[in-house]
Structures are given as C-alpha cells and as structure tokens.
Amino acid sequence: MTTPSPTADTGAELLPIATPARTRAALRTLIRPDRGLALTGLGILVAATAVGLLVQPVLGRIVDIVADGRPAGDLTLPVVLLVAVAVVQGLTTTLGLTRIARLGETVLARLRERFVERALNLPADRLERAGAGDLTARVTGDVARVAEAVRSALPEMARSVLAILLTLGALALLDVRFLLAALLAVPVQLLTARWYVRRALTLYADQRVANGAQQQQLLETIGGAVTVRGHRLEEQHTERSAGRSRKAVDLTMRSVNLVLGFYGRLHIAEYIGLAAVLIAGFWLVRDGAVSIGTATAAALYFHSLFGPVNAALVLLDDAQSAAAGLARLVGVTDLAEQPEQPEPTAGKAAPVSVPRQRTASSEAAVTVLEVSHAYGPGRPVLHEVSLTLKAGEHVALVGTSGAGKSTLARIVAGVQQPTTGTVTAPASTGETSVVLVTQEVHVFTGTLAEDLRLARPDATDADLRTALSTVYALDWAEALPDGLATVVGEGGHRLDPARAQQLALARLVLADPALAVLDEATAEAGSAGARVLERSAEAALAGRTALVVAHRLTQAVAADRVVVLEAGRVVESGPHDELRDADGPYAALWRAWSGSRTRAPHP
C-alpha cells in the first residue's frame, strides 16, 4: 500500500511513497532469505554483551578488596578476569558485528537490485508525469541514505539495544531497587523519543521531496540551457532554482533544530537516572543491604548505559531518515508491481484492463483487440483500436502529431499497459520476443563491443561484426581508434545521432526478436543521415514482423501495409498505392509531405 503521490511545487506528480506498514512488510521480505544469518549474528552479539557485563561486578569486587584492606595478591584474580573479559568480548563482538554487517550488505544489494528491476519496468507515462528529478533523487540520495544506515546504524543499533536490555537485567540481579531507580530516566527518554519520531518522519519525508524538486529544477534548467539563454530566461530560472534550494535549506535547518532539542532532553534523562541510582546506593549501603562494591557496580552499570541508550536514541535520527528513504524506494517497487489504472470518468463504470497475452504459436503474428488507453481522467489517447500483423509483415503507423502512434507502439512492445483491451504478441522461444527501438537511443558507457553485447551477452566478435555489417555500420566501427574495443558513451568516444541509432539497430539484429517495433527510429538524423538509417532499419527488419511508426513517409512506401491513426482511432489501412489513390486522410498526408519535398526554395 502506498500513499497518494505528492505533487512538488514544480507541478510534477511525484512517484508514490509507501506507508509505514507496507515499508515494514517489504523490509521483512528482504530479510527473510537470510534469517539464519540474522539469528546467528544476534546470538553472538548477545553472548558478547553478556560477557562484557562481567566488568562492573569485577570492578566492584576490586573496590570491596581495597575497602576491606585485603592483601594485594587478592587483586590478581579480578585483574586476570578483566583481561579475559576484554579479549573474549572483543572477539565475539567483532564476529557478531561482522555477521550483522554482512546481513545488512546482502539486504542492501537485494534492495538495489529489486529497485532497479522495478524502476526499469515503470510505465513510461508515469515517469514523464513524475519528472526525472524525483526518480534521480530516489536512485541517488535515498539509496545512499539507506546504505549509510545499513552499514553504520544497523550494527550499532543491534548492539546498543542488546546492551540496554542485558544491563537492566544485571541491575536487577544486583538489587531490584537499583533497577527501579534507573527506570526513573525511562519516561523522559520515551517522551523524548516519541516527541522526536512524530516530527522526524514527516520532516525527513518533506526533505526528500524538496531535494527531488530541487534536482528536477536543476535538470530542467541545465538540460534546456540553450533555450533558456535564447529566450533570456536566465533570471527566472535562477530564481526558481534558488527558491527550490531555499526550501531544501529551510527543511535542513528545521531538522538540525530538531536534533539539538533531542540531545538536550536526553541529557536531562541521564541526570535524573544517575542521581536516582547514587541515592539508592547510598541508602542501601547505609542500611547494610549491599556492599560498597555492589553499589559501585550499580553506578557503573547505569553509567555504561549512557553510551548505548544515547546511541540507540540518536540512531533514531538515522533510522527515521533511512525509513523515509526506504518508503520512497518501496513506493517505486510497488508501483511497478501494480500498474496504475486511470480513474473512471463520472457516470461510467471503471474499465477492466485485460492482461497482455502471449501466443505459443510459431507464427509471429500480433493481434491488438479493442485497445484503449488514457494517461489520466479525461485524457484518452487510444479508442478501441484493433490491429493484426501477419507473420513477417511490415506495417507502418502514420498520422499527425498526437494521433496516438507512439502510445500504440509502446503497448504492442509491452512497454506500456493498455487501459482496456488485449494484445497477443509472439511468445519467447529462447530468443527475445519483442524489441522496441525509439528515436531516443542511449549509448552506454563502455567499449563498443560491451554496448552491443547488452542485446546478446554470449555474442562473439564475429557476431558483432555481422550485426554491424547488416546495418551498414561496420566501416565506421572498425575505423574507431580501437575498433570494437573503443570506449563510447559518457566520457568516451562520442557517437553522432545517426551512428548511435545504427548501434541500436545492430543490437536489434543481435537480439533477433520475432517482433520489432520502431518508433520514429530515424527521426533524429538529418536528410542524408535519414537515408542511411532507413536503409539500416530495412536491413535490420528483414525476415521479421515489424511495426514502424513512420516519421518520413518513405518508410510507409516501403511497408507492406499502412495504418493511419487519427485522434486515437484507425481511420485507414491498406497498401501505400491503394491509400494514396483513395483520396482519404493518407492521401492528404502524402500530398502535404511530398509537396514539401518538391517545393522549390525561395530565391
């Protein structure tokens, strides 16, 4: 269960945040596979803490020996015991903390893997509504905060809680009245913890949201720097960035004041408890109920509580911050598990989304049956679209901007779930079943060979060269400084848009899908580059079923069939020549497109 998606002051609909109950359940799920490691680590820490509690009674024994005027030789055994306790406690504590640290790192790795896996499966439109800043803040800041808590706070918290419980038990063994005196500090500590927790969780969650909004503003400003400068909007964007930063700083200062108040209250609790134990010791020694050594041990026990109690309560700061970050991460994973459904419009029943299906047939046919999709209430994009692709058929999707072409392409590729309707696509029989190539391709950092092997990790160098040759990219690839070993991507050799797109098409060839979906995959190149890419795309699609969102109508001419979308509906379907001569919507598009290409330029 997640809380409703908050809305940042950038206007973006941020990704949801999991409720505390859902966050705890997710944490239990993450730990469950390593229950044995957790129990072993805690058991060793219990033994280490119990051994360490022998120090105070031994010191008390030394006090009694000195107070009674006994020979110096009587101190030998207590001193040897102190050394033995120190050695055993050191070894067992190290072993226990190592196991707890291993547990934390294992759980953290599992959380990261699950988050990345689910984030990659988020609906594209949902990410667009949230903006890149929110997801970036969760991937960086929230993961880092949880990692920090796992590496430092988790072992120390486990150790502190065990020390508190066992020390209180030791006080009771000395004399229950010492325990009662020590417990006078507990109400102040509990009230302090309650006061802090009630304020901290909301404050840290707000701080994470503010940081996400700040990152979003910075990304938008930097990403659109050319446009900002071109329209002389530097002042406005600087003020917006400053406003987001001021809000983040204000929340940070509020958290600092909260922590300072937290520490002040803890010092009051320490004074109350220590004073009560010393007074109890004075009365008990005066009445002969306990020895001076026993009273000394009780005082030392309570004094030894300062460290673990303060550590446990102070770690609430890390715990609350980490809990806020974990809730944001779980919110993303839950969103990926349960795709969103737009709210029904007033007066209408909520549509039922039918899951995407796979066909076990050897035919690579695709059937889209009465598919509708909306990006939110009152924002329909597709209206009961039905479409069939025969095995090996190349179908071109054309239409004006906003007709729903890209949405339909993503639904067929399985990247986007439809609001209603069914999609039957080829089943995977060892090879990748569907590959989507869009105009926004990414060149991953690494060698060119590594980038290509993302599509097929077991591909040989010969396979890579064959794929590059298929899309007419082998010549420039081998001409790179180190050939296939050339580092590309961020910080490496820069590939222009046309070559980056050929790289994506080569990955498609390596993946060898039954169905290929191209969404304006040649749109980023200029006229000369477009001709090269169209030839590359045609070669990459040879022998497989393909759905092509045509940016240029030359792609429609080469297709077996053309499907025309208008306002989310199929209005025409047929071969290029037939539709061109039918004087319908496609003929109008063709005339407008071909006219713009043949019109002579003005002198």
Side-chain angles (χ1 to χ4, degrees), residues 140-500:
T140 55
D142 291 322
V143 170
R145 188 57 57 89
V146 173
E148 181 183 353
V150 164
R151 290 174 180 143
S152 58
L154 177 63
E156 188 61 32
M157 176 67 84
R159 183 182 177 186
S160 297
V161 170
L162 289 174
I164 292 168
L165 295 176
L166 293 178
T167 301
L168 291 176
L171 277 172
L173 288 176
L174 291 179
D175 192 294
V176 72
R177 287 167 286 190
F178 285 127
L179 174 62
L180 295 176
L183 291 179
L184 291 177
V186 172
V188 179
Q189 291 167 336
L190 291 179
L191 288 174
T192 298
R194 184 169 179 267
W195 172 84
Y196 175 78
V197 169
R198 292 178 62 182
R199 289 162 176 77
L201 189 58
T202 303
L203 179 58
Y204 284 123
D206 291 344
Q207 197 173 3
R208 299 272 76 77
V209 171
N211 288 338
Q214 181 187 31
Q215 289 196 32
Q216 177 67 27
Q217 183 62 49
L218 290 174
L219 287 171
E220 289 178 352
T221 300
I222 295 172
V226 174
T227 303
V228 170
R229 287 195 297 269
H231 290 274
R232 299 292 187 268
L233 299 174
E234 293 93 341
E235 270 190 46
Q236 293 93 321
H237 277 259
T238 299
E239 180 55 35
R240 289 177 189 172
S241 297
R244 308 285 185 267
S245 297
R246 282 193 297 270
K247 184 171 182 179
V249 170
D250 177 65
L251 288 169
T252 300
M253 293 307 301
R254 284 174 56 190
S255 67
V256 169
N257 291 331
L258 183 66
V259 171
L260 291 176
F262 179 65
Y263 278 116
R265 287 167 169 78
L266 288 184
H267 293 326
I268 295 173
E270 290 173 1
Y271 174 80
I272 292 173
L274 184 57
V277 170
L278 290 174
I279 292 171
F282 172 78
W283 288 105
L284 291 173
V285 170
R286 193 189 68 170
D287 294 342
V290 298
S291 68
I292 295 176
T294 301
T296 301
L300 290 173
Y301 270 137
F302 186 82
H303 188 271
S304 71
L305 283 174
F306 286 6
V309 168
N310 287 347
L313 293 177
V314 168
L315 286 173
L316 285 174
D317 181 63
D318 292 334
Q320 292 303 311
S321 182
L326 182 60
R328 285 161 54 82
L329 297 177
V330 173
V332 172
T333 60
D334 284 354
L335 181 63
E337 285 179 331
Q338 300 174 349
E340 296 176 273
Q341 298 298 332
E343 298 174 9
T345 56
K348 295 184 179 180
V352 178
S353 177
V354 181
R356 179 182 176 85
Q357 301 174 354
R358 296 284 186 184
T359 176
S361 169
S362 61
E363 294 284 329
V366 179
T367 302
V368 178
L369 182 60
E370 295 184 354
V371 162
S372 296
H373 188 70
Y375 288 121
R379 298 171 57 195
V381 178
L382 297 176
H383 304 272
E384 297 183 350
V385 173
S386 294
L387 177 67
T388 299
L389 277 71
K390 298 177 182 177
E393 184 182 25
H394 291 184
V395 174
L397 274 180
V398 302
T400 58
S401 179
K405 304 185 298 296
S406 293
T407 300
L408 181 58
R410 288 200 298 262
I411 289 174
V412 171
V415 174
Q416 185 78 51
Q417 291 294 323
T419 304
T420 60
T422 59
V423 177
T424 302
S428 177
T429 56
E431 76 283 359
T432 303
S433 58
V434 184
V435 167
L436 170 68
V437 180
T438 71
Q439 60 179 315
E440 299 174 352
V441 298
H442 183 73
V443 179
F444 294 88
T445 300
T447 66
L448 183 65
E450 291 171 342
D451 203 305
L452 288 166
R453 286 194 175 97
L454 291 171
R456 203 172 90 204
D458 62 346
T460 64
D461 285 351
D463 294 330
L464 303 185
R465 289 187 172 87
T466 299
L468 288 168
S469 178
T470 300
V471 298
Y472 307 101
L474 184 59
D475 288 343
W476 65 256
E478 291 187 330
L480 292 175
D482 298 312
L484 295 181
T486 301
V487 176
V488 295
E490 189 71 26
H493 187 89
R494 189 175 183 278
L495 300 182
D496 61 40
R499 289 182 174 182

Side-chain angles (χ1 to χ4, degrees), residues 13 15 119-120 122-132 135 340:
E13 183 186 343
L15 296 167
L120 290 174
L122 285 176
D125 60 294
R126 187 63 184 87
L127 284 179
E128 291 171 2
R129 296 204 305 272
L135 186 60
E340 296 176 273

